[in-house]
Amino acid sequence: MADPYHNNIYHQGDGDSYRTYGQGGQDNAASDATEGHDEEDQMYEGEYQGIPHPDEVKAARRAARAKARTVADGVSDQEELAEQYEDIMEDCGHGKFQWTLFVVLGLALMADSVECFVVALVLPSAEKDMCLSHAEKGMLGLIVFLGMMFGAFIWGGLADKVGRRKCLIIVLAMNCISAFFSSFAQGYGFFLFFRLFSGIGIGGSVPIVYSYFSEFLQMDKRGEHLSWLCMFWMMGGIYASSIAWGIIPRYGWGFSMGTEFQFHSWRVFVLVCALPAIAAFVGLLFMPESPRFLLENAKHDEAWMILKQVHDTNWRAKGEPERVFTVTQIKTPKTQEDEFIEIQTATGTAFQRWVVRTLTLTKLVMKNVLSLFGHDLRLATLLMAIIWFTMAFSFYGLSVWFPDMIKHLQHEEYESKLKVFHREKVEQFHFNFSLENQVHKEGEYINDKFINIEMKSVKFEDSLFVDCFFENIRSTETIFENCTIRSTVFYDTDLYEEKFIDCTFENVTFLHNKKGCHLDYEEENDVLVYLVSFLGCLAVLPGNIISALFMDKIGRIKIIGGSMLISAGCTFFLFLSFSQAAIIAWQCLFCGVSVAAWNGIQVITVELYPASKRATAFGVLNAICKLAAILGSSIFASFVGITKVIPILLSFGALVGGGVLALKLPETRKKVLL
């Protein structure tokens, strides 16, 4: 049987084969660059302090891996490629190139975070602007996660076949375009469509970002720097809540063209939210493709050039430009599927070639997805799917439950201040002050004027209105129930037909009713939404720092299991959430503890799967995460104001189950990326 792997040799001068590139080959290749330097004059600074030279540490690690290979019964071609690639990344070092890529990919991760927050932050204003019902508001929150679920699955699979960089550029472009159009969309349907389109795009960023960045990291740097990358998700939440707080309450930051086109401040906020995606898009144009992806797809020349670029960029920045990239041989797999695509695309019309390529690509992606449940990966995939689901179910469910509980407590406090008026009789009176949080029962209003006022949470019940005049009325949650209205005029009001329940009209006139629902109340409740989001994101900073510092020291499994189990214990503090301040405090505690588990889950996901399936696996698991988020937020929200017990027990059970299963996963901190 033919070996599916082919050796591809690159010669630099008289360099040796890959197996000697770190020894004699390096000396020969570097001889010209270092001519005139006396090695005896260049003393290592830590030599007299007993600190081993970095090259000695590197050589010791390679010797240990070589010894492990000799002990093993046999080494597969895939494992041999992984070992070679790890050696190359060690020679390239960690420096300027990785930090530049770190910032660019971090901005892409920020864009994903912002997308999760943007709808929740604009809803209080958008519902007034577009007159949204409760069902429409719920659908708007749901559609973003639905789009992100499909986006993660689709783009994760494509990233393993088309390329990490190319797919990430496309998803960021989709997010930018949809953000622009959704900010100008006046109708609910168009706004919903563009947010769905945005979710499908940006949903693919998380699987690609982690897969992409991990393939530029050496083993001893991988866990820590992937965890630092997770901090950009926190920064995205802080960015979104901060600019929402700064922009949305500024109602003057907008314009209108008649009554049909309104561009209020919340639409400015939607536009500004696209800035991280735009910055990441521009940065990616200057970044190369993952060399590991290129090697998996038999693009050896391109991979070698990129690895040389990484090597030279890092060592020049460290002040050692004389270091020469001496790799001369890389063992890479040959992929038959992509050749099939090229053969087909060379014939037929442009449309036929597009159809053939699309169908073939779809088959390859689905084949890759099914391979995740093969004999060698089935157990890891099932365990990771359960852990992702339980973590997301609890986290996103409680993330919705916290602000909803705050709103519920605010509503209870508001209702406790309700004023009730019985059988009041008011004649020839001019109401020139706003009415709020009142109930008027069996009242009589004769020849009264209601002019230039706002009515908020007002109910008239079994009341009589005779010869009254209503002008320029703006209302919210105001109804007339079982009232009799005679010889009354409603001029320039927003008191529509649906606000009169079982009422009797006699000689009543409605003139120039207001269109839309543009009540520009600057409600304290809206500001609290921004504050809660800001504090919840800021609270994860300590957990991010701790997990990054200890990810490579104590291991991924202990981080995930410990964080999930401690988070489960924190849920019982929610029984003590009797005030808004207490809920905010428990939210910060829960977010701060649970973020370590998130970081560990994302790190171990890229390490468990080989390069040819890495983004696909991450995409499938991230899609499961978004499904859990949809279910968790829907279920937890339904119990707000009814009981705390069920949400707390659900989150506790899910976190304990996921935490225990996490302890069954294999530790990956000392394994090279396959």
Side-chain angles (χ1 to χ4, degrees):
M1 181 175 178
D3 184 3
Y5 284 72
H6 290 251
N7 293 334
N8 295 274
I9 302 176
Y10 305 87
H11 294 285
Q12 285 181 286
D14 296 325
D16 296 334
S17 67
Y18 177 84
R19 289 171 185 151
T20 61
Y21 79 85
Q23 301 171 8
Q26 182 170 348
D27 295 337
N28 294 335
S31 60
D32 293 337
T34 59
E35 186 176 357
H37 290 263
D38 188 351
E39 292 184 3
E40 293 180 357
D41 293 337
Q42 298 180 15
M43 304 299 294
Y44 171 55
E45 294 180 0
E47 181 177 351
Y48 295 109
Q49 301 173 12
I51 302 174
H53 194 281
D55 289 341
E56 295 177 3
V57 176
K58 189 190 305 180
R61 282 200 297 261
R62 291 182 183 178
R65 290 200 296 268
K67 183 178 180 181
R69 288 199 298 269
T70 57
V71 173
D73 294 337
V75 178
S76 67
D77 291 320
Q78 187 181 59
E79 291 172 335
E80 186 175 348
L81 169 61
E83 294 283 354
Q84 290 179 349
Y85 192 80
E86 177 65 26
D87 290 345
I88 295 172
M89 293 312 302
E90 285 182 353
D91 278 350
C92 290
H94 188 93
K96 180 181 177 180
F97 181 90
Q98 279 85 358
W99 285 114
T100 304
L101 185 63
F102 173 81
V103 174
V104 172
L105 296 182
L107 289 169
L109 203 58
M110 273 185 69
D112 176 85
S113 174
V114 169
E115 188 67 24
C116 292
F117 286 93
V118 64
V119 170
L121 293 172
V122 303
L123 263 183
S125 299
E127 67 174 314
K128 302 166 189 173
D129 206 0
M130 293 190 287
C131 304
L132 302 181
S133 65
H134 288 294
E136 288 172 332
K137 287 190 292 182
M139 177 55 69
L140 194 55
L142 173 69
I143 203 71
V144 174
F145 281 101
L146 196 63
M148 295 176 82
M149 180 179 74
F150 286 109
F153 181 86
I154 295 168
W155 294 110
L158 289 175
D160 277 333
K161 297 301 176 184
V162 178
R164 280 85 159 103
R165 176 180 175 271
K166 184 183 295 184
C167 287
L168 190 54
I169 287 175
I170 294 172
V171 302
L172 290 171
M174 289 176 64
N175 181 247
C176 296
I177 293 169
S178 58
F180 176 81
F181 284 110
S182 65
S183 67
F184 288 93
Q186 297 297 300
Y188 170 74
F190 281 111
F191 187 76
L192 191 71
F193 169 76
F194 287 121
R195 295 325 299 179
L196 172 65
F197 188 72
S198 177
I200 293 175
I202 203 64
S205 64
V206 173
I208 301 173
V209 162
Y210 285 101
S211 301
Y212 190 12
F213 192 51
S214 67
E215 291 168 354
F216 284 97
L217 297 173
Q218 59 199 67
M219 182 175 63
D220 61 328
K221 302 283 187 181
R222 197 168 57 230
E224 178 184 352
H225 288 273
L226 284 174
S227 297
W228 289 127
L229 187 66
C230 297
M231 290 188 68
F232 278 93
W233 208 92
M234 171 202 74
M235 293 167 62
I238 293 175
Y239 171 80
S241 53
S242 299
I243 63 173
W245 201 343
I247 293 177
I248 295 179
R250 308 296 190 267
Y251 295 107
W253 288 23
F255 61 91
S256 61
M257 300 172 62
T259 58
E260 298 301 323
F261 186 86
Q262 304 285 336
F263 195 88
H264 293 153
S265 56
W266 68 268
R267 297 180 183 275
V268 178
F269 165 72
V270 173
L271 272 180
V272 176
C273 281
L275 291 180
I278 294 172
F281 176 84
V282 174
L284 273 172
L285 298 179
F286 301 93
M287 291 290 107
E289 180 57 85
S290 164
R292 185 60 188 271
F293 166 79
L294 295 173
L295 291 173
E296 290 290 332
N297 289 271
K299 297 180 180 179
H300 321 102
D301 294 336
E302 296 176 46
W304 188 88
M305 291 299 295
I306 292 170
L307 289 169
K308 185 178 186 300
Q309 176 190 350
V310 175
H311 177 278
D312 294 346
T313 301
N314 287 341
W315 289 112
R316 276 199 303 267
K318 294 177 181 179
E320 299 184 43
E322 69 276 5
R323 291 231 185 186
V324 178
F325 187 60
T326 58
V327 176
T328 57
Q329 178 177 326
I330 307 176
K331 193 176 183 97
T332 54
K334 178 182 177 183
T335 53
Q336 299 290 345
E337 295 98 340
D338 289 346
E339 291 180 3
F340 174 70
I341 294 175
E342 296 303 325
I343 292 171
Q344 295 299 320
T345 56
T347 60
T349 65
F351 178 74
Q352 288 173 332
R353 291 198 299 269
W354 178 82
V355 170
V356 170
R357 186 174 181 84
T358 302
L359 290 176
T360 307
L361 197 56
T362 302
K363 291 178 183 177
L364 293 176
V365 170
M366 293 309 300
K367 181 180 178 182
N368 224 17
V369 171
L370 293 176
S371 69
L372 300 178
F373 299 93
H375 175 71
D376 53 339
L377 294 174
R378 185 186 304 131
L379 180 60
T381 301
L382 290 176
L383 286 175
M384 289 304 301
I386 295 172
I387 293 167
W388 272 91
F389 185 91
T390 53
M391 188 66 205
F393 180 81
S394 302
F395 181 84
Y396 287 102
L398 289 176
S399 295
V400 170
W401 187 81
F402 285 128
D404 282 359
M405 273 298 296
I406 291 174
K407 291 178 182 177
H408 175 69
L409 292 177
Q410 288 175 335
H411 183 68
E412 286 186 336
E413 183 181 359
Y414 188 75
E415 284 191 334
S416 67
K417 299 177 182 178
L418 179 68
K419 297 177 182 178
V420 181
F421 300 88
H422 287 279
R423 295 181 180 179
E424 61 178 352
K425 186 172 183 180
V426 182
E427 295 186 45
Q428 298 183 344
F429 185 78
H430 183 187
F431 288 86
N432 58 359
F433 50 87
S434 296
L435 305 178
E436 181 177 356
N437 200 19
Q438 300 176 3
V439 174
H440 299 264
K441 295 184 178 181
E442 300 178 6
E444 293 183 11
Y445 305 91
I446 313 298
N447 200 20
D448 295 327
K449 293 181 179 180
F450 300 79
I451 300 176
N452 297 328
I453 67 172
E454 295 173 350
M455 295 182 177
K456 182 180 178 183
S457 300
V458 178
K459 180 179 182 181
F460 293 97
E461 185 177 344
D462 299 318
S463 297
L464 173 67
F465 295 84
V466 179
D467 293 324
C468 292
F469 183 73
F470 291 79
E471 181 181 0
N472 191 24
I473 305 298
R474 294 185 299 167
S475 65
T476 179
E477 297 180 3
T478 295
I479 60 172
F480 297 77
E481 184 175 349
N482 199 29
C483 295
T484 300
I485 305 173
R486 298 174 185 161
S487 304
T488 296
V489 176
F490 293 87
Y491 181 84
D492 191 26
T493 73
D494 63 357
L495 299 174
Y496 302 110
E497 198 174 304
E498 61 267 16
K499 295 191 177 183
F500 297 91
I501 303 172
D502 298 328
C503 292
T504 302
F505 295 96
E506 299 177 9
N507 194 26
V508 175
T509 304
F510 290 87
L511 296 173
H512 303 289
N513 276 359
K514 292 181 184 291
K515 293 183 179 180
C517 40
H518 308 301
L519 284 181
D520 289 338
Y521 286 137
E522 187 174 352
E523 300 183 9
E524 294 181 2
N525 294 4
D526 296 353
V527 175
L528 190 61
V529 172
Y530 315 140
L531 178 62
V532 171
S533 298
F534 178 84
L535 293 176
C537 294
L538 189 62
V540 307
L541 179 60
N544 262 319
I545 294 174
I546 292 172
S547 63
L549 294 177
F550 290 95
M551 188 67 69
D552 286 322
K553 291 181 173 63
I554 66 175
R556 290 80 162 116
I557 305 308
K558 292 178 182 178
I559 290 282
I560 299 170
S563 176
M564 292 186 74
L565 293 175
I566 296 173
S567 299
C570 291
T571 59
F572 280 100
F573 287 111
L574 301 180
F575 283 113
L576 305 176
S577 53
F578 301 113
S579 66
Q580 297 178 36
I583 292 177
I584 294 174
W586 302 138
Q587 177 191 15
C588 292
L589 176 64
F590 177 78
C591 292
V593 173
S594 62
V595 70
W598 276 121
N599 293 357
I601 289 171
Q602 288 159 345
V603 171
I604 200 172
T605 300
V606 300
E607 295 176 332
L608 280 175
Y609 295 93
S612 60
K613 300 175 176 63
R614 184 169 295 124
T616 301
F618 209 123
V620 170
L621 295 171
N622 201 250
I624 293 172
C625 166
K626 295 303 185 286
L627 175 62
I630 293 171
L631 294 175
S633 57
S634 301
I635 293 173
F636 281 50
S638 64
F639 289 102
V640 173
I642 299 175
T643 179
K644 300 177 187 175
V645 176
I646 294 179
I648 291 173
L649 291 180
L650 284 174
S651 57
F652 175 80
L655 288 168
V656 169
V660 171
L661 285 178
L663 300 177
K664 303 292 184 181
L665 289 171
E667 182 56 70
T668 56
R669 61 174 167 158
K670 294 184 179 180
K671 293 184 178 180
V672 297
L673 282 181
L674 293 178

